[in-house]
Amino acid sequence: MLFKHIIVMVGLVGLVGCQSLPTQTNAPKKKEEPVQEKPQGVKTPDGIKITPYDRPEIKREPLQVIVPQQKAPAQKFNDGQGLPVFKQLMQQAQSALKQGQWDNAEKFALQAQRLAPQSAETFLYLALIANHKNQAANAESLARRGLSYAQSNAMRKQLWLTILKAGQTQKNNQTIQEAQARLKSL
C-alpha cells in the first residue's frame, strides 16, 4: 500500500515537473534595439529637479459638428390632465380664483400640479394667483415655465398675457416688449 502511494506521488511530481519546464523554440531572436537614454531632469537654482514628461503629445483633431436638417416634431406630454382628480382640483382652483380666495386657489393648483407636473394649465393658474398676490416676478417665472409645457396656441397666449401683466406690474419694458411681440406672432 505504501509502495503504491510512493509510485503515485513520484508520478505526480514527474508530471508537474514536466509541465513547468520552459518550452524551447527555434524561432530567430529579434534584435534588441538600443535603449535610448531618457533625458535627465534639469536642476533649478532651488535644487528641485524637473523631469520632462516622456509621453508623446496629445494629437488634437477638429470636432465634427452635426447640424440637424429638420426641426424635431413637437413632443406630446402625458401631463395627467385626463385624471378625474386633476380636473376636479382645477375646477376648485378656478372657482376659488373667481371668488378671490387666493390661498385656497393656490392650494388646489399646487395639489393638481403634484398630480400633473407637466401641465401648463397648473402653471397658468399659479401665475395668475401670484399676479393677484402682487408677486409679479414669481408670476412671470411660473408663466415662463408653463410655456415650456404649453401645447396649444391658446395656452401660449394666456401665458404670454400673464407675463405681459407681470411685466407691466414690474414696469419692465423689456418683458413688456417681448410679451407683446410674442402675442402678435400667435
Side-chain angles (χ1 to χ4, degrees):
M1 185 79 155
L2 181 64
F3 184 67
K4 287 184 180 180
H5 286 300
I6 294 174
I7 292 176
V8 169
M9 294 300 274
V10 169
L12 284 175
V13 170
L15 284 174
V16 171
C18 290
Q19 289 178 352
S20 64
L21 289 177
T23 57
Q24 294 183 358
T25 60
N26 293 335
K29 293 184 179 181
K30 294 181 180 178
K31 286 187 177 180
E32 291 184 15
E33 295 179 15
V35 177
Q36 294 180 354
E37 199 170 303
K38 294 182 179 177
Q40 296 296 324
V42 179
K43 289 190 178 183
T44 61
D46 298 345
I48 298 173
K49 184 178 178 183
I50 301 173
T51 306
Y53 191 61
D54 63 342
R55 295 203 177 165
E57 187 175 331
I58 297 173
K59 294 180 181 177
R60 299 181 189 272
E61 296 178 5
L63 291 175
Q64 291 181 348
V65 179
I66 300 172
V67 179
Q69 296 293 338
Q70 297 177 355
K71 188 176 179 183
Q75 183 178 4
K76 177 77 174 156
F77 292 108
N78 183 10
D79 56 11
Q81 287 185 343
L83 297 172
V85 177
F86 174 82
K87 291 178 182 179
Q88 181 184 8
L89 286 169
M90 290 309 294
Q91 287 174 352
Q92 290 172 335
Q94 185 179 19
S95 66
L97 185 64
K98 285 180 181 177
Q99 294 172 4
Q101 299 172 347
W102 316 131
D103 292 332
N104 284 339
E106 185 175 28
K107 179 180 79 171
F108 293 130
L110 285 172
Q111 287 176 350
Q113 188 182 36
R114 287 187 190 106
L115 293 173
Q118 294 180 338
S119 171
E121 188 177 0
T122 57
F123 284 104
L124 174 64
Y125 276 94
L126 289 170
L128 290 171
I129 294 164
N131 262 339
H132 285 293
K133 288 182 163 185
N134 293 323
Q135 299 171 348
N138 190 22
E140 180 183 349
S141 174
L142 287 164
R144 287 186 186 275
R145 272 190 261 160
L147 282 171
S148 64
Y149 299 117
Q151 297 179 19
S152 68
N153 282 339
M155 181 58 69
R156 285 186 195 94
K157 184 176 181 179
Q158 290 297 315
L159 289 163
W160 278 112
L161 285 170
T162 307
I163 292 171
L164 177 63
K165 185 175 180 183
Q168 289 169 343
T169 304
Q170 296 177 58
K171 297 179 182 170
N172 186 338
N173 289 331
Q174 183 179 2
T175 302
I176 294 168
Q177 290 173 356
E178 179 187 9
Q180 288 173 342
R182 294 294 179 115
L183 285 167
K184 285 180 185 176
S185 67
L186 287 177

